Amino acid sequence: MKKQADIALSRSDLDWLILRPSLLVDDIGTGTVSLGPAEFHGQIARADVAETLAELLHEPRIGQQILELNTGSTPIRDAVKANIRRR
């Protein structure tokens, strides 16, 4: 059902963004991530997912993308900015 919803959303005229985090863990967030259209899947702290979502919501130039999220070495704000598409 999730895949069907993702396909329907991605084919719509809505401004959408799909975030696919790795395995969620209760560890303390690091404030650094790996974010992009194709990332290795390991695990990520829920706090880092929440912080990434907050940054994504405040970046109007990000949309119509599927981004994968994992623990990484890039500060969250920089990782979000690196995924801005120039339209």
Side-chain angles (χ1 to χ4, degrees):
M1 295 306 295
K2 169 81 167 80
K3 182 68 171 180
Q4 289 175 349
D6 288 354
I7 291 168
L9 184 61
S10 68
R11 293 179 179 171
S12 75
D13 291 332
L14 297 172
D15 187 16
W16 56 270
L17 176 69
I18 296 170
L19 183 65
R20 293 182 176 158
S22 296
L23 176 69
L24 300 175
V25 294
D26 291 326
D27 297 346
I28 294 172
T30 63
T32 59
V33 298
S34 181
L35 177 70
E39 295 294 328
F40 289 105
H41 278 249
Q43 61 185 33
I44 188 163
R46 284 177 168 81
D48 287 333
V49 174
E51 187 177 338
T52 302
L53 282 168
E55 284 292 326
L56 289 166
L57 286 171
H58 290 97
E59 179 47 71
R61 297 171 291 173
I62 291 218
Q64 297 183 328
Q65 294 187 70
I66 298 173
L67 297 175
E68 296 183 346
L69 180 64
N70 195 34
T71 299
S73 59
T74 305
I76 291 171
R77 181 168 284 154
D78 294 341
V80 168
K81 286 182 181 179
N83 284 281
I84 293 172
R85 286 192 195 165
R86 308 291 179 220
R87 294 181 192 193

